[in-house]
Amino acid sequence: MDRKQHIAIFTTASLPWMTGTAVNPLFRAAYLAKNGERKITLVIPWLSLKDQKLVYPNNTTFGSPSEQESYIRQWLDQRIAFISGFTIRFYPGKFAVDKRSILPVGDISEIILDEEADIAVLEEPEHLTWFHHGKRWKTKFRLVIGIIHTNYLEYDYPRSIVCNVHGVNTKFLEIGKKRFEQQHGSNQAFTKGDYYIGKMIWSKGYGELLKLLHDHQKELVGLEVDLYGNGEDSDQVKEAASKLKLTVRVHPGRDHADPLFHDYKVFLNPSTTDVVCTTTAEALAMGKIVVCANHPSKRLLQAVPTTGTEKLSSKKFASVSLNLWKTIEDTSAYVHHLALGFEATRRVFGAIPGSLQPDEEQRKELGLTS
């Protein structure tokens, strides 16, 4: 083709919400655009002010998408050593309090022109497709790649492959190298004990961690643990921690590369809901000891793709099976599209009221035509 290949990365979160679906896709866009061989667009949610106040920490809010984009690029520029020429586009989103997730409003695939719809990377595809009512993703784009960030028990999605698609910022490796040199020199590499950094909601393992500390208080006399994070359950976590006889301090969230964390020796990660525990990899890169659950959500376990390992008995059977699967898939997509075109049906399925199309406020904020 005469033009550059276009990759559009759609994700369900954006800074300053320090969650994996805000950070990892941002770095993915930056590094994919690094050599200038492809055109990269990062498509992120725009929240109106009332939802920003529910999601973003430290009372951080933005009056316009351009203001938030400036914040994001400044944050990124402080963490990469090159200039990356990717584009940021916003789609209208709403925060679902019950799901604790940002969900898209309207047909967000329209943000990318049809003539540039080469590859779509859907970060948390289940969130982006639950209530999607518009052109089918696989019809709009020539290739669609879904990256699931949450551990859904058995990873049993059809035609899925479990693999690592995230990297670790070189900054963490540099920190680890420095600590290694200190350890073999005259200086002590680590002067602090144990810590955990993660979004402060119970589903990130705080309950399991606090229960373990409670059940083994006698064996852990003298242990001190620092917990860092922002989230809806911060006050409850702090209250539960205060009831322990051990010293467990609860702090606001910080960037994992902050010098504050350099002196900690042990990283605790009780979470079992993440597919890629980025903070675990970062801690290992910094030379820390990691204590985590023996669980599929830890990418320390090896995963062996099974696609292509079983032979079908005949080409005829394979052809029939594929055609049947495609028919079922097409029918399911049609029913899904039809059902989600009505407000009443959408609400039955759990969609946010009024999320079929952007409201007047979001249209004005995003400069969308009526």
Side-chain angles (χ1 to χ4, degrees):
M1 57 175 64
D2 296 331
R3 59 178 178 82
K4 292 182 179 179
Q5 185 184 56
H6 184 219
I7 301 177
I9 303 172
F10 292 80
T11 190
T12 56
S14 58
L15 297 178
W17 195 10
M18 292 296 295
T19 186
T21 49
V23 175
N24 288 325
L26 177 59
F27 282 115
R28 196 185 324 285
Y31 279 88
L32 282 174
K34 183 178 180 181
N35 59 16
E37 294 180 358
R38 308 177 186 89
K39 180 179 179 180
I40 308 297
T41 301
L42 177 63
V43 189
I44 58 179
W46 166 258
L47 298 177
S48 293
L49 188 60
K50 62 179 180 180
D51 278 351
Q52 290 185 37
K53 292 178 178 178
L54 293 175
V55 177
Y56 299 149
N58 305 320
N59 297 316
T60 304
T61 58
F62 306 97
S64 66
S66 59
E67 185 182 337
Q68 186 170 4
E69 179 176 348
S70 296
Y71 176 96
I72 293 170
R73 290 193 182 278
Q74 183 179 10
W75 186 93
L76 180 65
D77 289 343
Q78 294 171 353
R79 289 160 178 81
I80 60 175
F82 58 90
I83 298 175
S84 183
F86 66 95
T87 302
I88 294 179
R89 299 287 302 276
F90 288 84
Y91 67 80
K94 289 183 181 292
F95 181 64
V97 178
D98 59 329
K99 301 175 180 62
R100 291 181 171 176
S101 301
I102 297 174
L103 298 176
V105 176
D107 182 7
I108 66 173
S109 70
E110 292 180 341
I111 290 173
I112 304 301
L113 299 175
D114 289 347
E115 57 267 28
E116 291 194 335
D118 298 327
I119 299 175
V121 177
L122 306 185
E123 312 268 352
E124 285 196 315
E126 68 283 17
H127 291 205
L128 293 170
T129 57
W130 272 334
F131 309 113
H132 176 71
H133 181 73
K135 186 174 289 187
R136 189 176 173 188
W137 289 99
K138 293 202 299 181
T139 302
K140 167 82 176 190
F141 292 88
R142 295 171 180 82
L143 176 65
V144 179
I145 301 168
I147 299 177
I148 299 174
H149 288 249
T150 301
N151 169 40
Y152 291 105
L153 300 179
E154 302 296 335
Y155 303 118
D156 57 355
Y157 279 79
R159 293 168 291 179
S160 65
I161 297 175
V162 179
C163 63
N164 176 29
V165 294
H166 300 294
V168 176
N169 194 303
T170 54
K171 183 178 293 187
F172 295 103
L173 296 171
E174 292 167 0
I175 295 169
K177 182 180 179 181
K178 182 179 180 180
R179 292 292 158 176
F180 178 80
E181 293 170 350
Q182 289 177 343
Q183 190 174 8
H184 290 270
S186 56
N187 298 325
Q188 185 178 355
F190 301 101
T191 58
K192 297 180 183 178
D194 310 316
Y195 77 106
Y196 173 43
I197 178 172
K199 185 181 177 184
M200 205 160 283
I201 55 176
W202 288 119
S203 62
K204 289 296 183 182
Y206 285 95
E208 290 83 349
L209 176 59
L210 293 174
K211 185 179 187 304
L212 280 171
L213 295 176
H214 175 271
D215 293 345
H216 298 278
Q217 291 184 94
K218 292 182 179 179
E219 303 99 300
L220 299 174
V221 173
L223 179 71
E224 296 186 6
V225 178
D226 290 306
L227 307 177
Y228 294 88
N230 298 310
E232 301 92 311
D233 299 328
S234 298
D235 292 339
Q236 294 180 31
V237 171
K238 187 176 293 185
E239 181 182 355
S242 67
K243 296 178 181 178
L244 297 175
K245 295 179 181 178
L246 300 172
T247 301
V248 180
R249 294 176 287 262
V250 181
H251 310 275
R254 303 284 288 268
D255 190 302
H256 204 187
D258 192 298
L260 174 72
F261 297 109
H262 295 186
D263 292 328
Y264 283 100
K265 186 174 184 178
V266 179
F267 176 73
L268 305 174
N269 190 347
S271 175
T272 56
T273 61
D274 304 305
V275 169
V276 284
C277 295
T278 309
T279 50
T280 296
E282 292 169 350
L284 289 171
M286 289 190 282
K288 303 182 188 305
I289 297 171
V290 171
V291 178
C292 63
N294 181 11
H295 188 272
S297 70
K298 307 304 178 185
R299 64 159 135 188
L300 297 179
L301 299 180
Q302 292 184 344
V304 182
T306 57
T307 46
T309 57
E310 297 180 3
K311 293 184 178 179
L312 296 170
S313 58
S314 68
K315 290 183 180 180
K316 181 178 180 181
F317 177 75
S319 177
V320 171
S321 298
L322 289 173
N323 289 334
L324 178 60
W325 172 258
K326 188 176 187 307
T327 300
I328 294 173
E329 189 179 59
D330 290 344
T331 303
S332 175
Y334 174 75
V335 173
H336 180 268
H337 176 83
L338 189 65
L340 293 178
F342 301 94
E343 181 67 21
T345 315
R346 292 175 63 83
R347 296 187 67 167
V348 168
F349 283 113
I352 301 173
S355 61
L356 183 57
Q357 294 294 336
D359 56 34
E360 193 60 35
E361 181 183 5
Q362 286 193 317
R363 285 185 176 278
K364 183 177 179 180
E365 293 166 340
L366 291 169
L368 301 175
T369 57
S370 300

